[in-house]
Amino acid sequence: MSTEKQISMSLAKPESTGLSLTQKVALGLGLAGLFILMLAGFNTYFPNKGLFLTLSLVCIATGTIIFSNALYLNKSKGIKNDGVWFKSISSRGTLGWITGVFLTGFYIILYFYPEYLGLGISGNSNSGLIALFDPLSKLLNGNPASQWFVYGTLYTLAILIFGYKFILKYRHNRYQQLRTISVMFFQLGFAFLIPEFMSRLNQSTEYNLPYYDLKSMWPLNYYLFDSWSVNGLLSSGNLGLAMLIFGILSIFVISPILTYKYGKRWYCSWVCGCGGLAETVGDPFRQLSSKKQSAWKIERWLIHTVLVFSVIMTIAVIYSYLDKNPSNYWLSSKAFLMGSGLLLTLLFSVVILFKRHELGKDARYGAIDYFIIILSLFILYVTGTSEQIFLIKPSSLRSAYGFYIGSIFSGVIGTGFYPILGNRVWCRFGCPMAAVLGFQQRLFSKFRITTNGGQCISCGNCSTYCEMGIDVRAYAQKGENIVRSSCVGCGICSAVCPRGVLKLENSSMKGRINANEILLGNDVNLIDLLTKK
Amino acid sequence: MEHIVIIGNGISGITAARHIRKLSDKKITVISAESEYFFSRTALMYVYMGHMTFSHTQPYENWFWTKNNITLKKAYVQAVDTDNKTLHFSDDSPLRYDKLIIASGSKPNKFGWPGEHLKGVQGLYSKPDLELLEINAPNNKICKRAVIVGGGLIGIELAEMLSSRQIPVTFLVRESSFWNNVLPENDSQLVTEHIKNHHIDLRLSSNLKEIKSDDHGKVKSIVIEETGEEIPCNFVGLTAGVSPNINFLKSSKINTNKGVVVNRFLETNIEDVYAIGDCAEQLEPIGNRRSIEAVWYTGRMMGEVIAQTICIQKMPYQPSHWFNSAKFFDIEYQTYGWVNNEKNKPECESHFHWKDKDHLKCITIAYNKNTNAFLGINAFGIRLRHETFETWLNEGRDVDYVINHLEEANFDPEFSKTYHPKIQNAYNRQLQHEL
Ligand SMILES: Cc1cc2nc3c(=O)[nH]c(=O)nc-3n(C[C@H](O)[C@H](O)[C@H](O)COP(=O)(O)OP(=O)(O)OC[C@H]3O[C@@H](n4cnc5c(N)ncnc54)[C@H](O)[C@@H]3O)c2cc1C
Ligand code: SF4
Ligand code: SF4
C-alpha cells in the first residue's frame, strides 16, 4: 500500500511492453519444471524419482508464483485487462492455438493412450512420466501411480498456483478472493487428498471404496450408480453406506437448498473442480466465449441433450443393476422405473403449473426433455431386460456416455479448447449438473444480478468477460436484472464494470425478474405510465 | 407509411429508433457518417487498451437492424431543407422525411491554438479518432511522450489509455486541482493524488500556448502559457470539452444557438423536426441541469421520450434527479443529486466529507445547512444504489437519515469491506465538533 501512496513523478522507469527480467527468470524456472516432466515422459532415467518429482513441482509452483508477483504486485489494485486482446495467448493467436493443440493432445493421450505416459499394463510396473509420480502416490495411498493420479496431482497443482495468481489479480475484490480460496480448498481436500486416503483405507479388507470425490454430485459423477461403485460402497461398512446416502442427499436435499439460497454459484464457482480449473488456469481465456445469440441457441440444445442422455443413462444403469440382483433389494427394477417416471411427472407438473410464465420460451425445452425421458422409460419398461436395453447392452450405453461426454466433451474439448472457445466450454455446453442447477436457479432461487438503475453506459466489458457467454450488457442497459440459468455467479461482470452497475445478490424471489421499458432517472410519470400498462 | 428519419446513430438516435419500432411500424431510417453500426462511444478507450475489440463495443448484433426493419444508411448529411422536407447528401440522391430527429452528437472543442491542425494532434471522440490514435501513438517507440490538454473526463481517459501502453504522459489542466470546476476540493484532491500515483506528469493551472511543428508538419513540442516551458512530444491530445456537432444545419431554417434549440417537448422551431442527445440545447434549462447535457444517459432518455411523442402522445422531457458516473484510473465515481464545488455552491449548501485512510475512497454529502435536507452525494471507490438515492431524494430525506441508512444504499460486491460505520463515526464526531 505504501508504494501506492507515494506520489512519484518519476518517469525514468517506464515499464517495457515485454516481460521484465524477473518475469523471464520465473518463466524459465517454470519451464524447467515442465522440462523435467517432459524428460520423464520420454523415459529418461531419474535415479531418485522422489527428488526429481519434488524439484519439478517446486519449480513449476515457484515459477508461477514469482511470475504472478512480478505481474501484479507492483501495480495498483484494480482491473488488469490491459492488452488482453493484443496477446497471442489470450486472443486466439498462434500461441493460443499451439496451447490448444498441446492441451488437446495431452487429454487424448491421457484418456485413450495412457501407456504412452508410462502406465504399466497387465501387471508391469510403471515407467516414464507415471513412474515419476510413484513415490508421491505410494506416500499418499500406498499404491503405484496411475494416469489419474498424475492427472489429479497436476490438476490440483494448477488450481493452487493459478488460484494464487488469480487472487493477486483481483486484490481489490474480496468476493473473487474468497471464492478462489474456496475452490482451492475443495480441490486439494475433497477431490485430491480425501480420495487418496480413502483408497488407503481399502488396504484393509473391510473396505472396498470406489474413487469418490465427495463434492462431486450426480449427474456430474455419472459413475456413482454404476454397479462397481454401488457394490463398492455397499461392501464398505457404515462408511460406505454413509457415503452413498450422502451422495443421494446432496442431489435431492443439500443442493436444492443451497441453490435456492445462493444460486448455482455455490457449486459452480465455489466448489466444483471443473469450475475451479476454469476460473484459475482458464481465467486468461474467459473473453473468448461467444456472445452471439446463435451460440446461445446451440448451448441450450446441447446442454439439454446431455442432460437427457445422462438421466436416461443413469436410470438404465440402475434399472439393469436392480434387474440383475432382484433378491438383494426391496426395490424391484420395474418399481424403480415407475417411481422415477412418477417423480419426473410430479416435478414437471409443478413447474408447468406454477412457473410457466417465468419460463416463457424455455418451457418448450423442458417439455421436450420431459417427453423424451418418459418415452425412454416406457420403452425400457416394455423392452428392457438385464441384458439388453434400447437393443444394446446397458454397459455400452454407459460407456458411450463415459466416452463421449465424460472424456471427449469434458476433458478434450472442455479443457483442451480453453484458448479457442473460452474457459467454460464444458460448463456451458455440456455439463448436466450445470443444467440441473441452472434449471433451479432460473425458477426457484433467490439469486440474481441486480443492475444499478440508469448507470450503465453500454460499454460491453461485462459481456466481453462473461465466461458463460451471457450478453450481460443486453440486460444492464435496460436496467433489467440478470436471471439466467447458465450464470455461474463468478462475479467477473460485476468486477470489470467501470460504472458499478452490477451486483450479485440473494434476495426475495418477488420482483426478481423485472423488465424495464424505460430507465430509472427518466420522467417519473413516464415510468409510471409504462409500468401500469 | 410515415417515414421517420434520424440523423446520428449514437445512443440517442438509436434509442429513439428502437423505441419507435417497439411502439409502431413506421418506416425508420438512421443515418450516420461515422460507422455502419451503432457502437458505444464510451467504450472506445477499452479498445485502445486491449480490453475489448471494436466489435465488442456494438451492443446489437448486425442482424438486429434488418430483423427490426430499421434501415441504416452510411452517409453524411450536408444540408437540411425543411421546406421540402428533404435531406441532401454529398454523393447521393436526396432523401425525403415526414419527421426528422436530429441526434448528431458532439465534436471536440478546439480553441484556435497555434498548431492545432498539425499531424499528431487530435481529439478523442469518434471511431476515426480511435483509428488515428493507433497511427499517432501505437507504442512508446513512436510516441515517446504525449501531452494531453484539458482536464475533463475524456482527458483522463486518454491519459489512462496512453499509459496502458507505457507512453509517458504530460497532462495540462487549466484548473488548480483536477476537475475542481465540478468537484468539491476534497474530492478533487483525491483524484489528483491518484492521477499522480499513476505516473502521470500532471501540470495544474497550466494552459496551452502553442503547439510547435517539426520540418514535416508534425508536432514537435508544446509550450505552456504560464511558465513558457517547452515540452518535447510526439502527440498532443486535445480534450478541452465538446460542443454540439451542428455545422451542417447552419444553412437551414432550424433555430440553433450553441446547439439545436428545443423546447421541453424536444421540438425545434420547425414543425416535425426534433433534436435529442448531445446536440440539443434546452431553451430553458431544467432545474440545475445545463441547457446542453452531453452525457450518455440523457441522450438515451430523450430517445425514450421522443418515441412516445412521435408514436403515442406528446410528452415532455422531464428527467428525474441528476446522476452520473465515471472512472478515474482505478477509482470509480458515482454521483446522485447535486454536489456543487466551492465556487458554484449556494450559500446554504454544506458538505460532509469522509476519506478512507488508503486515499482511494471518499464520499462527500451535500445538505442544506438550514433545513438539513439531503441534496446529493459524491462517492469515490464505493458503489451506491441508484434506486435508493432516487427514493431518498423524492422523499426529501435529511442528511442524518442518509448517513444512518447508508448501508441500504451500498452496491459494492458481496464480502466487500463496509465503510458506513466509519462514515457514521466521522459524521458524529464532526457534528459534536460543531455543537
Ligand atoms: C471517449 C468518450 C467517453 C465518454 N464517456 C462517457 C461516460 O462515461 N459517461 C457518459 O455519460 N458519457 C460519456 N461520454 C459522452 C457520451 O458518449 C455522449 O454523450 C453520447 O455518446 C452522445 O450520444 P449522441 O447519440 O447524442 O451523439 P453521438 O454519439 O455523437 O452520435 C452522433 C452521430 O451522428 C453522426 N453525425 C453527426 N452529424 C452528421 C451528419 N451531418 N451526417 C451524418 N451523420 C452525422 C456522428 O458521426 C455520430 O456518429 C463519452 C464520450 C467520449 C467521446
Ligand atoms: S453473468 Fe456475470 S456472474 Fe454470471 S457467469 Fe457471466 S460474468 Fe459470471
Ligand atoms: S453493465 Fe457495466 S460493464 Fe456492462 S455495459 Fe454497462 S457499464 Fe459496461
Side-chain angles (χ1 to χ4, degrees):
Chain A
M1 194 77 61
S2 60
T3 49
E4 282 169 25
K5 239 195 295 183
Q6 274 166 24
I7 297 176
S8 158
M9 300 277 268
S10 151
L11 288 157
K13 196 171 61 72
E15 293 154 277
S16 74
T17 21
L19 297 178
S20 71
L21 183 66
T22 325
Q23 281 172 315
K24 281 181 191 151
V25 171
L27 194 64
L29 203 60
L31 288 178
L34 279 179
F35 188 63
I36 297 180
L37 295 185
M38 287 253 283
L39 284 181
F42 290 115
N43 263 322
T44 311
Y45 173 73
F46 286 114
N48 185 340
K49 297 206 169 63
L51 182 69
F52 275 93
L53 177 65
T54 314
L55 188 67
S56 158
L57 299 186
V58 167
C59 277
I60 296 177
T62 35
T64 313
I65 289 171
I66 297 175
F67 189 90
S68 317
N69 288 350
L71 191 60
Y72 299 124
L73 281 185
N74 60 355
K75 297 209 184 100
S76 63
K77 297 180 188 180
I79 291 305
K80 296 282 167 276
N81 286 335
D82 285 353
V84 163
W85 285 95
F86 304 144
K87 291 180 195 141
S88 179
I89 179 88
S90 55
S91 63
R92 272 186 222 114
T94 321
L95 264 183
W97 280 97
I98 292 177
T99 313
V101 169
F102 173 80
L103 281 175
T104 312
F106 173 74
Y107 273 93
I108 292 176
I109 295 178
L110 176 75
Y111 279 111
F112 306 116
Y113 307 101
E115 60 275 17
Y116 291 142
L117 294 177
L119 184 68
I121 309 203
S122 50
N124 289 329
S125 60
N126 291 330
S127 59
L129 183 65
I130 297 185
L132 188 69
F133 283 74
D134 279 343
L136 183 62
S137 180
K138 286 190 182 133
L139 181 75
L140 290 173
N141 62 37
N143 297 317
S146 66
Q147 79 270 37
W148 301 122
F149 181 81
V150 173
Y151 179 52
T153 311
L154 292 178
Y155 195 103
T156 307
L157 180 73
I159 289 190
L160 293 179
I161 59 184
F162 284 94
Y164 173 81
K165 175 169 180 261
F166 189 87
I167 288 174
L168 289 193
K169 181 174 174 188
Y170 288 97
R171 244 149 72 237
H172 60 296
N173 192 316
R174 292 258 304 276
Y175 181 78
Q176 297 305 335
Q177 299 186 315
L178 290 178
R179 78 179 173 89
T180 308
I181 292 170
S182 171
V183 291
M184 287 159 78
F185 166 78
F186 278 104
Q187 178 61 30
L188 181 64
F190 281 59
F192 187 62
L193 293 178
I194 293 179
E196 295 307 329
F197 296 146
M198 271 164 38
S199 76
R200 189 162 266 266
L201 279 183
N202 284 347
Q203 285 172 339
S204 129
T205 48
E206 278 162 47
Y207 291 104
N208 185 20
L209 293 168
Y211 170 85
Y212 190 9
D213 171 357
L214 281 171
K215 69 176 171 43
S216 182
M217 242 179 266
W218 182 88
L220 196 55
N221 64 351
Y222 51 89
Y223 41 79
L224 178 63
F225 298 109
D226 285 2
S227 54
W228 56 267
S229 163
V230 176
N231 284 336
L233 286 170
L234 289 180
S235 61
S236 299
N238 284 338
L239 182 63
L241 187 65
M243 283 167 59
L244 186 62
I245 292 177
F246 178 75
I248 295 172
L249 273 186
S250 33
I251 309 158
F252 290 109
V253 181
I254 301 177
S255 160
I257 292 177
L258 288 176
T259 310
Y260 171 70
K261 290 185 80 156
Y262 308 111
K264 82 195 226 188
R265 58 184 171 149
W266 79 267
Y267 192 73
C268 299
S269 292
W270 287 74
V271 173
C272 179
C274 303
L277 192 74
E279 294 291 345
T280 52
V281 179
D283 175 64
F285 309 112
R286 57 174 64 248
Q287 66 285 355
L288 301 173
S289 60
S290 169
K291 312 313 185 287
K292 289 203 180 116
Q293 211 176 58
S294 47
W296 187 13
K297 279 195 185 129
I298 299 175
E299 166 190 321
R300 279 186 286 189
W301 278 109
L302 262 178
I303 199 159
H304 284 269
T305 311
V306 176
L307 178 63
V308 167
F309 191 3
S310 77
V311 170
I312 296 175
M313 190 271 300
T314 307
I315 291 180
V317 165
I318 299 179
Y319 169 79
S320 73
Y321 177 80
L322 290 172
D323 207 44
K324 238 187 251 173
N325 316 294
S327 49
N328 290 4
Y329 301 97
W330 52 268
L331 190 65
S332 82
S333 56
K334 301 273 178 198
F336 167 72
L337 274 191
M338 301 253 266
S340 313
L342 279 178
L343 193 70
L344 284 168
T345 308
L346 188 70
L347 190 71
F348 183 70
S349 328
V350 169
V351 168
I352 292 299
L353 257 174
F354 295 105
K355 295 283 172 174
R356 201 170 47 242
H357 302 297
E358 286 176 36
L359 262 185
K361 278 188 215 148
D362 289 347
R364 221 179 54 214
Y365 290 91
I368 296 175
D369 289 359
Y370 170 74
F371 285 113
I372 296 181
I373 295 179
I374 290 296
L375 185 69
S376 359
L377 293 191
F378 182 72
I379 299 177
L380 254 186
Y381 193 88
V382 177
T383 70
T385 69
S386 55
E387 293 308 317
Q388 246 196 6
I389 47 174
F390 308 121
L391 306 175
I392 49 171
K393 285 213 305 223
S395 58
S396 352
L397 187 69
R398 162 63 180 75
S399 49
Y401 185 86
F403 178 77
Y404 289 110
I405 311 294
S407 313
I408 303 257
F409 207 153
S410 80
V412 180
I413 300 179
T415 311
F417 284 26
Y418 271 12
I420 309 303
L421 298 174
N423 57 335
R424 286 267 194 181
V425 182
W426 158 249
C427 312
R428 181 181 178 193
F429 294 102
C431 177
M433 175 86 188
V436 173
L437 294 177
F439 189 66
Q440 196 196 333
Q441 168 159 290
R442 184 71 204 285
L443 295 177
F444 306 101
S445 171
K446 290 160 159 277
F447 172 71
R448 91 289 312 274
I449 302 177
T450 311
T451 52
N452 201 2
Q455 288 284 23
C456 175
I457 52 167
S458 301
C459 70
N461 275 293
C462 51
S463 297
T464 308
Y465 286 91
C466 174
E467 55 194 353
M468 296 304 282
I470 299 173
D471 190 359
V472 185
R473 163 173 59 192
Y475 301 82
Q477 65 190 359
K478 286 191 276 185
E480 195 175 321
N481 289 347
I482 295 123
V483 180
R484 279 278 292 266
S485 48
S486 61
C487 169
V488 291
C490 66
I492 294 294
C493 53
S494 157
V496 298
C497 172
R499 294 295 178 271
V501 176
L502 304 161
K503 180 170 160 79
L504 282 66
E505 282 188 295
N506 315 308
S507 181
S508 138
M509 297 242 315
K510 215 173 135 248
R512 189 168 73 122
I513 301 175
N514 62 333
N516 286 339
E517 282 295 318
I518 297 291
L519 275 163
L520 183 63
N522 207 336
D523 189 346
V524 193
N525 300 328
L526 178 58
I527 299 180
D528 278 353
L529 182 86
L530 288 162
T531 31
K532 272 193 210 107
K533 259 204 298 202
Chain B
M1 209 190 320
E2 200 174 33
H3 187 193
I4 314 289
V5 175
I6 302 170
I7 304 180
N9 68 349
I11 181 66
S12 41
I14 287 300
T15 308
R18 278 182 38 244
H19 281 264
I20 292 172
R21 177 50 73 240
K22 269 191 202 165
L23 301 172
S24 77
D25 58 359
K26 295 179 197 297
K27 184 174 173 202
I28 305 173
T29 305
V30 182
I31 305 168
S32 166
E34 182 183 6
S35 63
E36 209 94 28
Y37 298 105
F38 167 52
F39 71 94
S40 260
R41 207 170 286 298
T42 50
L44 285 178
M45 66 181 291
Y46 300 107
V47 178
Y48 179 83
M49 288 164 70
H51 295 205
M52 299 195 280
T53 61
F54 185 77
S55 65
H56 289 122
T57 68
Q58 294 172 186
Y60 304 94
E61 286 183 60
N62 294 351
W63 49 259
F64 178 87
W65 311 105
T66 350
K67 188 179 164 223
N68 287 289
N69 198 13
I70 295 172
T71 309
L72 305 178
K73 183 178 166 77
K74 191 165 187 234
Y76 183 76
V77 179
Q78 237 167 5
V80 179
D81 174 357
T82 49
D83 294 338
N84 298 309
K85 288 193 161 184
T86 40
L87 303 182
H88 295 274
F89 303 93
S90 44
D91 50 5
D92 208 348
S93 49
L95 184 73
R96 265 196 60 86
Y97 65 82
D98 296 308
K99 290 204 164 103
L100 178 67
I101 302 175
I102 302 169
S104 57
S106 310
K107 58 177 182 355
N109 285 335
K110 288 190 175 179
F111 292 115
W113 288 296
E116 66 183 18
H117 297 296
L118 290 173
K119 269 188 256 164
V121 182
Q122 68 167 102
L124 177 68
Y125 190 83
S126 62
K127 183 168 181 249
D129 289 342
L130 180 73
E131 286 153 5
L132 190 59
L133 187 64
E134 280 293 348
I135 296 168
N136 285 334
N139 54 45
N140 58 10
K141 306 273 169 332
I142 291 179
C143 178
K144 296 201 172 54
R145 173 165 296 273
V147 173
I148 298 171
V149 182
L153 296 178
I154 300 180
I156 191 164
E157 284 187 3
L158 187 56
E160 184 177 354
M161 290 160 73
L162 293 163
S163 49
S164 80
R165 296 202 186 177
Q166 288 84 36
I167 295 172
V169 174
T170 299
F171 194 5
L172 303 193
V173 171
R174 193 178 53 184
E175 292 75 31
S176 58
S177 171
F178 181 79
W179 218 34
N180 69 0
N181 52 336
V182 174
L183 295 178
E185 210 49 49
N186 286 319
D187 297 352
S188 162
Q189 283 297 334
L190 179 107
V191 183
T192 304
E193 194 180 322
H194 188 64
I195 296 174
K196 290 180 180 167
N197 281 344
H198 277 267
H199 307 287
I200 302 295
D201 173 23
L202 180 66
R203 306 295 184 94
L204 299 169
S205 308
S206 300
N207 282 284
L208 175 68
K209 184 167 174 220
E210 66 168 311
I211 306 169
K212 288 192 167 171
S213 162
D214 67 5
D215 301 338
H216 310 287
K218 240 197 130 260
V219 50
K220 175 182 84 178
S221 63
I222 59 109
V223 180
I224 297 179
E225 176 87 59
E226 284 73 13
T227 56
E229 183 185 355
E230 181 168 348
I231 300 174
C233 59
N234 311 95
F235 172 83
V236 177
L238 299 178
T239 56
V242 297
S243 46
N245 183 9
I246 52 165
N247 281 345
F248 68 103
L249 297 174
K250 293 291 178 208
S251 61
S252 75
K253 291 190 174 155
I254 300 167
N255 186 11
T256 61
N257 179 30
K258 270 189 197 147
V260 182
V261 180
V262 294
N263 63 17
R264 271 309 141 78
F265 296 96
L266 305 169
E267 296 165 328
T268 64
N269 60 321
I270 310 276
E271 202 179 345
D272 289 338
V273 179
Y274 308 84
I276 57 176
D278 275 24
C279 67
E281 177 176 353
Q282 292 287 328
L283 203 55
E284 294 162 44
I286 303 170
N288 292 334
R289 289 169 181 260
R290 299 181 184 197
S291 56
I292 300 176
E293 297 178 296
V295 286
W296 185 258
Y297 77 87
T298 50
R300 197 171 51 188
M301 294 194 311
M302 290 185 217
E304 290 166 355
V305 169
I306 197 76
Q308 295 290 324
T309 298
I310 288 186
C311 301
I312 314 257
Q313 59 178 329
K314 216 162 133 169
M315 167 123 337
Y317 168 57
Q318 263 171 345
S320 184
H321 302 283
W322 172 256
F323 67 92
N324 204 4
S325 56
K327 193 173 179 186
F328 307 107
F329 286 90
D330 296 318
I331 300 184
E332 287 172 20
Y333 158 67
Q334 294 182 332
T335 183
Y336 301 101
W338 291 109
V339 182
N340 288 300
N341 70 358
E342 281 71 10
K343 210 177 101 211
N344 297 338
K345 80 178 181 194
E347 211 270 314
C348 63
E349 179 177 332
S350 238
H351 288 174
F352 160 72
H353 179 76
W354 169 87
K355 186 186 318 202
D356 191 39
K357 58 182 184 313
D358 68 2
H359 289 221
L360 294 171
K361 289 162 211 86
C362 78
I363 62 157
T364 298
I365 294 180
Y367 58 97
N368 183 315
K369 70 177 167 214
N370 305 324
T371 66
N372 259 357
F374 168 71
L375 301 173
I377 184 166
N378 280 350
F380 294 81
I382 298 177
R383 294 177 173 180
L384 296 174
R385 205 181 283 268
H386 183 182
E387 204 177 341
T388 311
F389 280 101
E390 175 83 13
T391 312
W392 288 349
L393 284 163
N394 283 337
E395 292 169 350
R397 294 294 179 178
D398 63 19
V399 56
D400 295 331
Y401 182 91
V402 170
I403 297 268
N404 289 324
H405 291 79
L406 262 187
E407 190 181 359
E408 290 164 29
N410 189 291
F411 204 71
D412 274 334
E414 294 154 299
F415 304 111
S416 295
K417 258 205 222 160
T418 48
Y419 296 98
H420 52 271
K422 286 185 187 173
I423 296 172
Q424 273 159 17
N425 280 341
Y427 179 71
N428 292 336
R429 247 180 287 130
Q430 185 172 322
L431 215 61
Q432 275 162 9
H433 208 69
E434 279 168 15
L435 283 179

